[in-house]
Structure formats: structure tokens, C-alpha cells
Amino acid sequence: MMIVGYAKFSKRHPYFHLFLIASLTLIFLISAFILIEYETIELAGVIILIGSTLPFFAKASKYKQQYLSD
């Protein structure tokens, strides 16, 4: 149900969806850089957290393409 709700939300508010995806990507890249450069293991949690949201966005995108396309 949450996937359907987010798919509808991202259809109604595409700019906010783009901002959310871009900010998550930027946080992921910065965390990966710091993890590699400075070897601080604390940021591995951030990478795992962001990586765990990928299936959610993938399922919402698939639902949006199948049922909410114009």
C-alpha cells in the first residue's frame, strides 16, 4: 500500500520526487567517498540505509509505469 501511495505522490509531485532521489544519490556518493578516503566505518550504516530504499523506489516506479502511465 505504501508503494502505491508513493507512486501516486511521485506522479503528482515530480519535482519533489526528483529532489528526493537526487539528494539520496548525493548523500550516498559523499558517504561512499568518505568511507573509502578516510576509512570511517560509521558511514557504512548510511550506505546500507540508502541501499535498502532502492527496492522501494524500484517497486513504486514499476507500479507507476504499469498503472499510472498517461
Coordinates of all heavy atoms in Angstrom, one line a residue:
M1 N 0.8 -1.2 0.0 CA 0.0 0.0 0.0 C 0.9 1.3 0.0 O 0.5 2.2 -0.6 CB -0.9 0.0 1.2 CG -2.2 0.7 1.1 SD -3.1 -0.1 -0.3 CE -4.3 1.1 -0.4
M2 N 2.0 1.2 0.7 CA 2.9 2.4 0.8 C 3.5 2.6 -0.6 O 3.7 3.8 -1.0 CB 3.9 2.1 1.8 CG 4.8 3.3 2.1 SD 5.8 2.9 3.5 CE 7.0 4.2 3.5
I3 N 3.8 1.6 -1.4 CA 4.3 1.7 -2.7 C 3.4 2.4 -3.6 O 3.7 3.3 -4.4 CB 4.8 0.3 -3.2 CG1 5.9 -0.2 -2.4 CG2 5.1 0.4 -4.7 CD1 6.3 -1.6 -2.6
V4 N 2.1 2.0 -3.6 CA 1.1 2.6 -4.4 C 0.9 4.1 -4.0 O 0.9 4.9 -4.9 CB -0.3 1.9 -4.2 CG1 -1.4 2.6 -4.9 CG2 -0.2 0.4 -4.7
G5 N 0.9 4.4 -2.7 CA 0.8 5.8 -2.3 C 2.0 6.6 -2.8 O 1.8 7.8 -3.2
Y6 N 3.2 6.1 -2.7 CA 4.3 6.9 -3.1 C 4.3 7.0 -4.7 O 4.7 8.1 -5.2 CB 5.7 6.3 -2.7 CG 6.8 7.2 -3.0 CD1 7.1 8.3 -2.3 CD2 7.6 6.9 -4.2 CE1 8.1 9.2 -2.7 CE2 8.6 7.8 -4.5 CZ 8.8 8.9 -3.8 OH 9.8 9.8 -4.2
A7 N 3.9 6.0 -5.4 CA 3.8 6.1 -6.8 C 2.9 7.2 -7.2 O 3.2 8.0 -8.1 CB 3.4 4.8 -7.4
K8 N 1.7 7.3 -6.6 CA 0.8 8.3 -6.9 C 1.3 9.7 -6.5 O 1.2 10.7 -7.2 CB -0.5 8.1 -6.1 CG -1.3 6.9 -6.7 CD -2.6 6.6 -5.9 CE -3.3 5.4 -6.5 NZ -4.5 5.1 -5.7
F9 N 2.0 9.8 -5.3 CA 2.6 11.0 -4.9 C 3.7 11.5 -5.9 O 3.7 12.7 -6.2 CB 3.3 10.8 -3.5 CG 4.0 12.0 -3.0 CD1 3.3 13.1 -2.5 CD2 5.4 12.1 -3.1 CE1 4.0 14.2 -2.0 CE2 6.1 13.2 -2.7 CZ 5.4 14.3 -2.1
S10 N 4.5 10.6 -6.3 CA 5.6 11.0 -7.3 C 5.0 11.4 -8.6 O 5.6 12.2 -9.3 CB 6.6 9.9 -7.4 OG 6.1 8.7 -8.1
K11 N 3.9 10.8 -9.0 CA 3.2 11.2 -10.2 C 2.7 12.7 -10.1 O 2.8 13.4 -11.0 CB 2.1 10.3 -10.5 CG 1.3 10.6 -11.7 CD 1.8 9.9 -12.9 CE 0.8 10.1 -14.1 NZ 1.4 9.9 -15.3
R12 N 2.1 13.0 -8.9 CA 1.5 14.3 -8.7 C 2.6 15.4 -8.4 O 2.4 16.5 -8.8 CB 0.6 14.3 -7.5 CG -0.7 13.6 -7.8 CD -1.7 13.9 -6.7 NE -1.2 13.4 -5.4 CZ -1.5 12.3 -4.8 NH1 -2.3 11.4 -5.4 NH2 -1.0 12.0 -3.6
H13 N 3.7 15.0 -7.8 CA 4.8 15.9 -7.5 C 6.2 15.4 -8.0 O 7.0 15.0 -7.3 CB 4.9 16.0 -5.9 CG 3.6 16.4 -5.3 ND1 3.1 17.6 -5.4 CD2 2.7 15.6 -4.6 CE1 1.9 17.7 -4.7 NE2 1.7 16.4 -4.2
P14 N 6.3 15.6 -9.3 CA 7.6 15.0 -9.9 C 8.8 15.8 -9.5 O 9.9 15.2 -9.4 CB 7.3 15.1 -11.4 CG 6.3 16.2 -11.6 CD 5.5 16.1 -10.3
Y15 N 8.7 17.0 -9.2 CA 9.9 17.8 -8.8 C 10.4 17.4 -7.4 O 11.6 17.4 -7.2 CB 9.7 19.3 -9.0 CG 9.5 19.8 -10.4 CD1 8.3 20.3 -10.8 CD2 10.5 19.6 -11.3 CE1 8.1 20.7 -12.1 CE2 10.3 20.0 -12.6 CZ 9.1 20.5 -13.0 OH 8.9 20.9 -14.3
F16 N 9.5 17.2 -6.5 CA 9.9 16.8 -5.2 C 10.5 15.4 -5.3 O 11.5 15.1 -4.6 CB 8.7 16.8 -4.2 CG 9.1 16.4 -2.8 CD1 9.7 17.3 -2.0 CD2 8.8 15.1 -2.4 CE1 10.1 17.0 -0.7 CE2 9.2 14.8 -1.1 CZ 9.8 15.7 -0.3
H17 N 9.9 14.5 -6.1 CA 10.5 13.2 -6.3 C 11.9 13.2 -6.8 O 12.8 12.6 -6.4 CB 9.6 12.3 -7.2 CG 10.2 11.0 -7.6 ND1 10.3 10.0 -6.7 CD2 10.7 10.6 -8.8 CE1 10.8 8.9 -7.4 NE2 11.1 9.3 -8.6
L18 N 12.1 14.1 -7.8 CA 13.5 14.3 -8.4 C 14.4 14.8 -7.3 O 15.6 14.3 -7.2 CB 13.4 15.2 -9.6 CG 14.7 15.5 -10.3 CD1 15.3 14.3 -10.9 CD2 14.5 16.6 -11.3
F19 N 14.0 15.8 -6.5 CA 14.8 16.3 -5.4 C 15.2 15.2 -4.4 O 16.3 15.1 -4.0 CB 14.1 17.4 -4.7 CG 14.8 17.9 -3.5 CD1 15.9 18.7 -3.6 CD2 14.3 17.6 -2.2 CE1 16.6 19.1 -2.4 CE2 14.9 18.0 -1.1 CZ 16.1 18.8 -1.2
L20 N 14.2 14.4 -4.1 CA 14.4 13.3 -3.1 C 15.5 12.3 -3.7 O 16.4 11.9 -3.0 CB 13.1 12.6 -2.8 CG 13.2 11.5 -1.7 CD1 13.7 12.1 -0.4 CD2 11.9 10.8 -1.6
I21 N 15.3 11.9 -4.9 CA 16.2 10.9 -5.5 C 17.6 11.5 -5.6 O 18.6 10.9 -5.3 CB 15.7 10.4 -6.9 CG1 14.4 9.7 -6.7 CG2 16.7 9.5 -7.6 CD1 14.5 8.4 -5.9
A22 N 17.7 12.8 -6.1 CA 19.0 13.4 -6.2 C 19.7 13.6 -4.9 O 20.9 13.4 -4.8 CB 18.8 14.8 -6.9
S23 N 18.9 13.9 -3.8 CA 19.6 14.1 -2.5 C 20.0 12.8 -2.0 O 21.1 12.7 -1.4 CB 18.6 14.8 -1.6 OG 17.5 14.1 -1.3
L24 N 19.3 11.7 -2.1 CA 19.7 10.4 -1.7 C 20.9 9.9 -2.4 O 21.9 9.4 -1.8 CB 18.6 9.4 -1.8 CG 17.5 9.4 -0.8 CD1 16.4 8.5 -1.2 CD2 18.0 9.1 0.6
T25 N 21.0 10.2 -3.7 CA 22.2 9.8 -4.5 C 23.4 10.6 -4.1 O 24.5 10.1 -3.9 CB 21.9 10.1 -6.0 OG1 20.7 9.3 -6.4 CG2 23.1 9.7 -6.9
L26 N 23.2 11.9 -3.8 CA 24.3 12.7 -3.4 C 24.8 12.3 -2.0 O 26.1 12.2 -1.8 CB 23.9 14.2 -3.3 CG 25.0 15.2 -3.0 CD1 26.1 15.2 -4.1 CD2 24.4 16.6 -2.9
I27 N 23.9 12.0 -1.1 CA 24.3 11.5 0.2 C 25.1 10.2 0.1 O 26.1 9.9 0.8 CB 23.1 11.4 1.2 CG1 22.6 12.8 1.5 CG2 23.5 10.7 2.5 CD1 21.2 12.8 2.2
F28 N 24.6 9.3 -0.7 CA 25.2 8.0 -1.0 C 26.7 8.2 -1.5 O 27.6 7.6 -1.0 CB 24.4 7.2 -1.9 CG 25.0 5.9 -2.2 CD1 24.9 4.8 -1.4 CD2 25.8 5.7 -3.4 CE1 25.4 3.6 -1.7 CE2 26.4 4.5 -3.7 CZ 26.2 3.4 -2.8
L29 N 26.8 9.1 -2.5 CA 28.1 9.3 -3.1 C 29.1 9.9 -2.1 O 30.3 9.5 -2.0 CB 28.0 10.2 -4.3 CG 27.3 9.5 -5.5 CD1 27.2 10.5 -6.6 CD2 28.1 8.3 -6.0
I30 N 28.6 10.9 -1.3 CA 29.5 11.5 -0.3 C 29.9 10.5 0.8 O 31.1 10.5 1.2 CB 28.8 12.8 0.3 CG1 28.7 13.9 -0.7 CG2 29.5 13.2 1.6 CD1 27.8 15.0 -0.3
S31 N 28.9 9.7 1.2 CA 29.2 8.7 2.2 C 30.2 7.7 1.7 O 31.2 7.2 2.4 CB 28.0 8.0 2.7 OG 27.1 8.9 3.3
A32 N 30.1 7.2 0.5 CA 31.0 6.3 -0.1 C 32.4 6.9 -0.2 O 33.4 6.2 0.0 CB 30.5 5.8 -1.5
F33 N 32.5 8.1 -0.7 CA 33.8 8.8 -0.8 C 34.5 8.9 0.6 O 35.6 8.5 0.7 CB 33.6 10.2 -1.4 CG 34.9 11.0 -1.3 CD1 35.9 10.7 -2.2 CD2 35.1 12.0 -0.4 CE1 37.1 11.4 -2.2 CE2 36.2 12.7 -0.3 CZ 37.3 12.4 -1.2
I34 N 33.7 9.3 1.6 CA 34.3 9.4 2.9 C 34.7 8.1 3.5 O 35.8 7.9 4.1 CB 33.4 10.2 3.9 CG1 33.2 11.6 3.4 CG2 33.9 10.1 5.3 CD1 32.2 12.4 4.2
L35 N 33.9 7.0 3.2 CA 34.2 5.7 3.7 C 35.5 5.2 3.0 O 36.3 4.6 3.7 CB 33.0 4.8 3.4 CG 33.2 3.3 3.8 CD1 33.3 3.2 5.3 CD2 32.1 2.5 3.2
I36 N 35.6 5.4 1.8 CA 36.8 5.0 1.0 C 38.0 5.8 1.4 O 39.1 5.3 1.7 CB 36.6 5.0 -0.5 CG1 35.6 3.9 -0.8 CG2 37.9 4.7 -1.2 CD1 35.1 4.0 -2.3
E37 N 37.9 7.1 1.4 CA 39.0 8.0 1.7 C 39.5 8.0 3.1 O 40.7 7.9 3.3 CB 38.6 9.4 1.3 CG 39.8 10.4 1.3 CD 40.8 10.2 0.2 OE1 40.5 9.6 -0.8 OE2 41.9 10.6 0.5
Y38 N 38.6 8.0 4.1 CA 39.0 8.2 5.4 C 38.9 6.9 6.3 O 39.2 6.9 7.4 CB 38.3 9.3 6.1 CG 38.5 10.6 5.4 CD1 37.5 11.3 4.7 CD2 39.8 11.3 5.5 CE1 37.7 12.5 4.1 CE2 40.0 12.5 4.9 CZ 39.0 13.1 4.2 OH 39.2 14.3 3.6
E39 N 38.3 5.9 5.6 CA 38.1 4.6 6.3 C 37.3 4.7 7.6 O 37.7 4.1 8.6 CB 39.4 3.9 6.5 CG 40.1 3.6 5.2 CD 41.5 3.0 5.4 OE1 41.9 2.7 6.6 OE2 42.1 2.7 4.4
T40 N 36.3 5.5 7.6 CA 35.4 5.6 8.8 C 34.2 4.6 8.6 O 33.4 4.9 7.7 CB 34.9 7.0 9.0 OG1 34.2 7.5 7.8 CG2 36.0 7.9 9.4
I41 N 34.1 3.6 9.4 CA 33.1 2.6 9.2 C 31.7 3.0 9.6 O 30.7 2.4 9.2 CB 33.6 1.3 10.0 CG1 32.8 0.1 9.5 CG2 33.4 1.5 11.5 CD1 33.1 -0.4 8.1
E42 N 31.6 4.1 10.3 CA 30.3 4.6 10.7 C 29.4 5.0 9.5 O 28.2 4.8 9.6 CB 30.5 5.9 11.6 CG 31.1 5.6 12.9 CD 32.7 5.7 12.9 OE1 33.2 6.2 11.9 OE2 33.3 5.2 13.8
L43 N 30.0 5.4 8.5 CA 29.2 5.8 7.3 C 28.7 4.6 6.5 O 27.9 4.7 5.6 CB 30.0 6.7 6.4 CG 30.3 8.1 7.1 CD1 31.1 8.9 6.2 CD2 29.0 8.8 7.4
A44 N 29.2 3.4 6.8 CA 28.6 2.2 6.2 C 27.2 2.0 6.5 O 26.4 1.5 5.6 CB 29.4 1.0 6.6
G45 N 26.7 2.4 7.7 CA 25.3 2.4 8.0 C 24.5 3.3 7.1 O 23.3 2.9 6.7
V46 N 25.0 4.4 6.7 CA 24.3 5.3 5.8 C 24.1 4.7 4.5 O 23.1 4.7 3.9 CB 25.0 6.7 5.7 CG1 24.3 7.6 4.7 CG2 25.0 7.4 7.1
I47 N 25.2 4.1 4.0 CA 25.2 3.4 2.7 C 24.2 2.2 2.7 O 23.4 2.1 1.8 CB 26.6 2.9 2.3 CG1 27.5 4.2 2.0 CG2 26.5 2.0 1.1 CD1 28.9 3.8 1.8
I48 N 24.1 1.5 3.8 CA 23.2 0.4 3.9 C 21.8 0.9 4.0 O 20.8 0.4 3.3 CB 23.5 -0.5 5.1 CG1 24.8 -1.2 4.9 CG2 22.4 -1.5 5.4 CD1 25.4 -1.9 6.1
L49 N 21.5 2.0 4.7 CA 20.2 2.6 4.8 C 19.7 3.1 3.5 O 18.5 2.8 3.1 CB 20.2 3.7 5.8 CG 18.9 4.4 6.0 CD1 17.9 3.5 6.8 CD2 19.1 5.7 6.8
I50 N 20.5 3.8 2.7 CA 20.1 4.3 1.4 C 19.9 3.1 0.5 O 19.0 3.1 -0.3 CB 21.1 5.3 0.9 CG1 21.1 6.5 1.8 CG2 20.8 5.6 -0.5 CD1 22.1 7.6 1.5
G51 N 20.8 2.1 0.5 CA 20.7 0.9 -0.3 C 19.4 0.1 -0.1 O 18.8 -0.5 -1.0
S52 N 18.9 0.2 1.2 CA 17.7 -0.5 1.5 C 16.5 0.2 0.9 O 15.4 -0.4 0.8 CB 17.6 -0.7 3.0 OG 17.4 0.5 3.6
T53 N 16.6 1.4 0.5 CA 15.4 2.1 0.0 C 15.3 1.9 -1.5 O 14.2 2.2 -2.1 CB 15.5 3.6 0.2 OG1 16.7 4.2 -0.5 CG2 15.5 4.0 1.7
L54 N 16.3 1.3 -2.2 CA 16.3 1.1 -3.6 C 15.1 0.2 -4.0 O 14.5 0.5 -5.0 CB 17.6 0.6 -4.1 CG 18.8 1.6 -4.1 CD1 20.1 0.9 -4.5 CD2 18.5 2.8 -4.9
P55 N 14.9 -1.0 -3.4 CA 13.8 -1.8 -3.8 C 12.4 -1.1 -3.7 O 11.5 -1.3 -4.5 CB 13.8 -3.0 -2.8 CG 15.2 -3.0 -2.4 CD 15.7 -1.6 -2.3
F56 N 12.3 -0.2 -2.7 CA 11.0 0.6 -2.5 C 10.8 1.5 -3.7 O 9.7 1.5 -4.3 CB 11.1 1.4 -1.2 CG 10.0 2.3 -1.1 CD1 8.7 1.9 -0.7 CD2 10.1 3.7 -1.3 CE1 7.7 2.8 -0.6 CE2 9.1 4.6 -1.2 CZ 7.9 4.1 -0.8
F57 N 11.8 2.2 -4.1 CA 11.7 3.1 -5.3 C 11.5 2.3 -6.6 O 10.8 2.8 -7.5 CB 12.9 4.0 -5.4 CG 12.9 5.1 -4.3 CD1 14.0 5.2 -3.4 CD2 11.9 6.0 -4.2 CE1 14.0 6.2 -2.5 CE2 11.9 7.0 -3.3 CZ 13.0 7.1 -2.4
A58 N 12.2 1.2 -6.7 CA 12.0 0.4 -7.9 C 10.6 -0.2 -8.0 O 10.0 -0.1 -9.1 CB 13.0 -0.8 -7.9
K59 N 10.0 -0.6 -6.9 CA 8.6 -1.1 -7.0 C 7.6 0.0 -7.3 O 6.7 -0.2 -8.0 CB 8.3 -1.8 -5.7 CG 9.0 -3.2 -5.5 CD 8.6 -3.8 -4.2 CE 9.4 -5.1 -4.0 NZ 9.1 -5.8 -2.7
A60 N 7.9 1.2 -6.7 CA 7.0 2.3 -6.9 C 7.1 2.7 -8.4 O 6.1 3.1 -9.0 CB 7.3 3.5 -6.0
S61 N 8.3 2.7 -8.9 CA 8.5 3.1 -10.3 C 7.8 2.1 -11.3 O 7.1 2.4 -12.2 CB 9.9 3.2 -10.7 OG 10.1 3.4 -12.0
K62 N 7.9 0.8 -10.9 CA 7.3 -0.2 -11.8 C 5.7 -0.1 -11.7 O 5.1 -0.2 -12.7 CB 7.7 -1.6 -11.3 CG 7.1 -2.7 -12.1 CD 7.6 -4.1 -11.6 CE 7.1 -5.2 -12.5 NZ 7.5 -6.5 -12.0
Y63 N 5.2 0.2 -10.5 CA 3.8 0.4 -10.4 C 3.3 1.6 -11.2 O 2.3 1.6 -11.9 CB 3.4 0.5 -8.9 CG 1.9 0.7 -8.7 CD1 1.0 -0.3 -8.6 CD2 1.4 2.0 -8.7 CE1 -0.3 -0.1 -8.4 CE2 0.0 2.2 -8.5 CZ -0.8 1.1 -8.4 OH -2.2 1.3 -8.2
K64 N 4.1 2.7 -11.1 CA 3.7 3.9 -11.8 C 3.7 3.7 -13.3 O 2.8 4.2 -14.0 CB 4.7 5.0 -11.4 CG 4.3 6.4 -11.9 CD 5.1 7.5 -11.3 CE 6.5 7.5 -11.8 NZ 7.2 8.8 -11.3
Q65 N 4.7 2.9 -13.8 CA 4.8 2.7 -15.2 C 3.6 1.8 -15.7 O 3.1 2.0 -16.8 CB 6.1 2.0 -15.6 CG 7.3 2.9 -15.5 CD 8.6 2.2 -15.8 OE1 8.6 1.0 -15.9 NE2 9.6 2.9 -15.9
Q66 N 3.2 0.8 -14.9 CA 2.2 -0.1 -15.3 C 0.8 0.5 -15.2 O -0.1 0.3 -16.1 CB 2.2 -1.4 -14.4 CG 3.3 -2.3 -14.8 CD 3.3 -3.6 -13.9 OE1 2.7 -3.6 -12.9 NE2 4.0 -4.6 -14.4
Y67 N 0.5 1.2 -14.1 CA -0.9 1.6 -13.8 C -1.2 3.0 -13.9 O -2.3 3.4 -14.0 CB -1.3 1.0 -12.4 CG -1.2 -0.4 -12.3 CD1 -0.2 -1.0 -11.5 CD2 -2.1 -1.3 -13.0 CE1 -0.1 -2.4 -11.4 CE2 -2.0 -2.6 -12.9 CZ -1.0 -3.2 -12.1 OH -0.9 -4.6 -12.0
L68 N -0.2 3.9 -13.8 CA -0.4 5.3 -13.8 C 0.1 6.0 -15.0 O 0.2 7.2 -15.0 CB 0.2 5.9 -12.5 CG -0.2 5.4 -11.2 CD1 0.5 6.1 -10.1 CD2 -1.7 5.6 -11.0
S69 N 0.5 5.3 -16.0 CA 1.0 5.9 -17.2 C -0.1 6.7 -18.0 O -1.3 6.3 -17.9 CB 1.7 4.9 -18.1 OG 0.8 4.0 -18.6
D70 N 0.3 7.7 -18.7 CA -0.7 8.5 -19.4 C -1.1 7.9 -20.7 O -0.5 7.2 -21.4 CB -0.1 9.9 -19.7 CG 0.0 10.7 -18.4 OD1 -0.7 10.4 -17.5 OD2 0.9 11.5 -18.4

